[in-house]
Amino acid sequence: MATAQLTTDRLAEKHRSTLDQALDTIRTRAYWSPYPEHPKAYGADGSLDAAAGLAAHQSLLNTRFDLDQPGTDSWTGAETSPYGPSLGIEYPHADLDVLLPAMRAGMGAWRDAGAETRALVCLEILARISARTHEFAHAVMHTSGQAFMMAFQAGGPHAQDRGLEAVAYAYAEQTRTPAGRAGWSKPQGKRDPLELSKEFTPVGRGIALVIGCNTFPTWNGYPGLFASLATGNPVLVKPHPRAVLPLALTVAVAREVLAESGFDPNLVALAVERPGEGIAKTLAVRPEIRIIDYTGSTAFGDWLEANARQALVYTEKAGVNTVVVDSTDDYKGMLANLAFSLSLYSGQMCTTPQNLLIPRDGITTDQGPKSYDEVVADLAAAVGGLLGDDARANGLLGALVNPDVKARLEAAAGLGEVALASREVVNPEYPDAVVRTPVIVKLDGTKPDAEAAYFSECFGPVSFAVSVDSTADALELLRRTVREKGAMTVGAYTTSADTERAVEEVCLEESAQLSLNLTGGVFVNQTAAFSDFHGSGGNPAANAALCDGAFVSNRFRVVEVRRQA
């Protein structure tokens, strides 16, 4: 173990005010972030500017990414950028029988450090990641297919926000019980009181496993990673095989900070699989694994919940996100907002709307009545206008992350009448990138064959404009969709107070996060750390919310030691 270079006092001097602000913000739910969103904010105070970040990324290509962690028995890696180039990076492949015991070895000292020191070490990790945001942005871009600015913001400061948020919740939950010794005295009348000294210690459950996703490796990975680490658990990171680099960089930074703080760097380690190895299932049922965080398909999420019985399992799976369109007093703003929501990152977000429920008799707007056909045609025109310029389209769409998304997109056109056909967009910088605009398909909500299409998740740039008999029918379909299929997000547009209350009641009863009448620069598929909850944990789309007290409180238990006073 390395000699501590970062003392607790030094960490407190650097980060205690940030922790205090995070604790205050999760109570007020106000806007705040300590991590800059703009690329030009970097380059001072030791952070990498744009040129240095790109150079750092390029220096990793076609190299061996050595973490100096125990149990490395070979090297593996087969990442290819959705934009075309092969990354050519090799990562350590672990002998789990060696690595897992080594990870547990430092758990006692990490436990004894206490909640505050653990939180401050986590904040130092996040600060160092933030300083390398430009480098991380290229790693996210070339593993997820996000366009650079989205990779920079969502993979950088927004992911860091979510990590810090988890640390704040973890600290708050651990410090509900007083630290150190507490005196206890029970009066006994004329006899001497009964007196005990009691000590309460938060204790982690054991090794936590983070199973990373392809689309948002850092944004979805950081909440579980930092929630577990801050509550005293070692963390094993198992990246998606197509998106290793962003999480490998994260593990490298964490190990560096842990060592400099006097803790065992093996408290955080990486598990990369060989092609086709499928180690997630193997790891998930090992007795050493006590916590699992997973983002991905419903099928594997359900398998984890059913089979990883020795572990607490936190899943974000899939849902069918729905928007109810009843009426609007800003028709142009509604169309623009929906067009952006459907287009961002080619719909490859777990929060992207899929089903737009529109009364077949049309809606009322500030531009007069609009029929179902007019609403759909106008939305198609709004998407087409937004993405008509190829440079802007590339900046919004990014690239399709894998061939399965392209296959779903192509198949969707055969499910109904196409209101907006998908088109190919050429990326002049990356000619091998697969870039496609969204498709909008019209479906009759009363027909069983149509239901088979819109009642299943179609991940990617595919949306269904579903005609319904009335707004009341739309709300019943919304209720059934959330209850049976789940939803990460729900949107609604209405000028009716009664309809607003009705859709709110559906979402409260079915536990779905609702956005009403968004017409400006906030979109249904975006959430802000410290203020918005991502998912609710109350419907089939996810069994946890990012981030609330429930997301962290069961990752540790409080152990009491009583002594005779």
Side-chain angles (χ1 to χ4, degrees):
M1 188 182 301
T3 302
Q5 302 171 39
L6 290 171
T7 64
T8 299
D9 288 345
R10 175 63 178 139
L11 289 169
E13 179 186 342
K14 293 178 69 176
H15 302 302
R16 182 68 221 203
S17 62
T18 301
L19 178 60
D20 289 340
Q21 182 64 60
L23 291 166
D24 183 65
T25 307
I26 62 175
R27 289 189 290 265
T28 65
R29 317 307 294 179
Y31 169 76
W32 173 72
S33 172
Y35 307 117
E37 282 188 313
H38 200 286
K40 291 184 179 179
Y42 297 83
D45 300 324
S47 63
L48 301 181
D49 63 12
L54 176 59
H57 170 71
Q58 291 176 334
S59 71
L60 296 173
L61 304 180
N62 302 305
T63 64
R64 181 167 283 183
F65 197 105
D66 192 356
L67 288 167
D68 192 28
Q69 63 184 32
T72 298
D73 58 16
S74 61
W75 297 84
T76 186
E79 292 163 292
T80 297
S81 169
Y83 289 93
S86 171
L87 302 191
I89 303 173
E90 288 188 316
Y91 302 95
H93 180 274
D95 180 339
L96 299 178
D97 291 330
V98 175
L99 179 59
L100 293 176
M103 294 185 69
R104 286 192 57 86
M107 195 173 173
W110 188 236
R111 174 201 66 218
D112 295 343
E116 181 176 14
T117 296
R118 288 193 294 270
L120 295 173
V121 170
C122 287
L123 264 63
E124 176 67 16
I125 296 169
L126 286 164
R128 295 197 190 184
I129 291 171
S130 176
R132 296 168 63 177
T133 292
H134 272 283
E135 179 185 2
F136 273 77
H138 290 286
V140 171
M141 174 183 176
H142 285 290
T143 53
S144 73
Q146 295 176 30
F148 177 77
M149 274 307 299
M150 184 176 186
F152 183 92
Q153 292 184 336
H158 297 172
Q160 296 151 23
D161 283 340
R162 283 296 184 191
L164 175 56
E165 177 186 48
V167 173
Y169 272 101
Y171 179 82
E173 292 298 323
Q174 290 174 97
T175 54
R176 288 185 184 277
T177 304
R181 294 189 180 184
W184 183 85
S185 180
K186 179 179 180 180
Q188 296 293 298
K190 294 181 179 180
R191 293 175 294 169
D192 291 339
L194 299 176
E195 294 187 344
L196 294 174
S197 172
K198 303 183 180 184
E199 189 172 6
F200 305 94
T201 303
V203 177
R205 286 183 171 270
I207 298 175
L209 173 65
V210 174
I211 302 176
C213 68
N214 195 175
T215 49
F216 289 89
T218 56
W219 198 99
N220 280 109
Y222 284 6
L225 192 165
F226 285 100
S228 288
L229 190 60
T231 50
N233 303 282
V235 181
L236 180 61
V237 179
K238 204 297 290 184
H240 191 284
R242 286 193 291 262
V244 178
L245 182 57
L247 292 178
L249 287 168
T250 302
V251 169
V253 173
R255 291 175 63 83
E256 173 187 84
V257 171
L258 285 163
E260 290 182 21
S261 304
F263 297 104
D264 191 335
N266 297 320
L267 286 166
V268 178
L270 189 72
V272 182
E273 60 192 300
R274 300 186 184 100
E277 185 178 7
I279 63 170
K281 278 192 173 184
T282 301
L283 280 166
V285 296
R286 285 191 65 122
E288 302 97 328
I289 301 299
R290 304 305 303 277
I291 302 167
I292 298 174
D293 287 276
Y294 167 76
T295 300
S297 71
T298 297
F300 191 59
D302 289 345
W303 185 92
L304 287 170
E305 291 171 0
N307 292 279
R309 306 305 295 271
Q310 85 293 347
L312 294 168
V313 179
Y314 299 88
T315 59
E316 181 194 311
K317 298 178 286 190
V320 177
N321 301 318
T322 301
V323 177
V324 174
V325 183
D326 168 74
S327 53
T328 181
D329 57 8
D330 184 0
Y331 187 60
K332 182 178 179 181
M334 180 189 78
L335 293 174
N337 192 278
L338 286 173
F340 188 92
S341 297
L342 300 182
S343 303
L344 185 62
Y345 185 32
S346 300
Q348 298 171 121
M349 303 173 69
C350 62
T351 49
T352 300
Q354 174 178 300
N355 294 342
L356 310 175
L357 309 185
I358 307 168
R360 68 181 72 257
D361 291 335
I363 66 172
T364 58
T365 80
D366 57 319
Q367 297 184 17
K370 297 288 183 179
S371 68
Y372 163 82
D373 288 331
E374 287 176 313
V375 173
V376 178
D378 290 343
L379 177 59
V383 174
L386 177 68
L387 303 176
D389 176 75
D390 281 2
R392 178 191 289 177
N394 277 304
L396 284 175
L397 295 171
L400 298 189
V401 71
N402 61 52
D404 291 341
V405 176
K406 182 172 179 284
R408 282 192 292 270
L409 170 64
E410 292 171 346
L415 298 175
E417 179 185 345
V418 175
L420 176 67
S422 176
R423 72 178 182 90
E424 181 177 356
V425 178
V426 175
N427 186 317
E429 186 175 1
Y430 298 102
D432 292 332
V434 179
V435 185
R436 299 289 188 274
T437 62
V439 64
I440 300 176
V441 179
K442 297 167 74 172
L443 296 175
D444 186 337
T446 64
K447 293 184 177 179
D449 58 338
E451 180 174 308
Y454 67 72
F455 217 59
S456 299
E457 188 199 24
C458 193
F459 183 77
V462 177
S463 294
F464 299 116
V466 182
S467 64
V468 293
D469 289 336
S470 65
T471 296
D473 289 321
L475 295 181
E476 282 308 305
L477 180 53
L478 168 65
R479 181 189 299 277
R480 189 161 65 91
T481 302
V482 176
R483 180 175 294 176
E484 297 182 24
K485 298 297 181 178
M488 295 299 293
T489 57
V490 172
Y493 291 88
T494 183
T495 58
S496 164
D498 289 342
T499 299
E500 182 174 319
R501 284 193 295 272
V503 69
E504 185 176 351
E505 188 64 21
V506 170
C507 290
L508 289 170
E509 290 179 356
E510 303 303 330
S511 194
Q513 311 293 17
L514 172 64
S515 297
L516 285 164
N517 298 318
L518 299 183
T519 56
V522 176
F523 306 94
V524 67
N525 45 352
Q526 297 174 319
T527 58
F530 309 108
S531 183
D532 295 322
F533 293 112
H534 177 72
S536 70
N539 69 65
N543 71 3
L546 305 180
C547 181
D548 59 10
F551 185 69
V552 300
S553 60
N554 214 18
R555 295 173 190 260
F556 70 96
R557 308 311 297 166
V558 177
V559 176
E560 176 184 357
V561 177
R562 301 190 298 179
R563 293 178 173 86
Q564 189 72 42

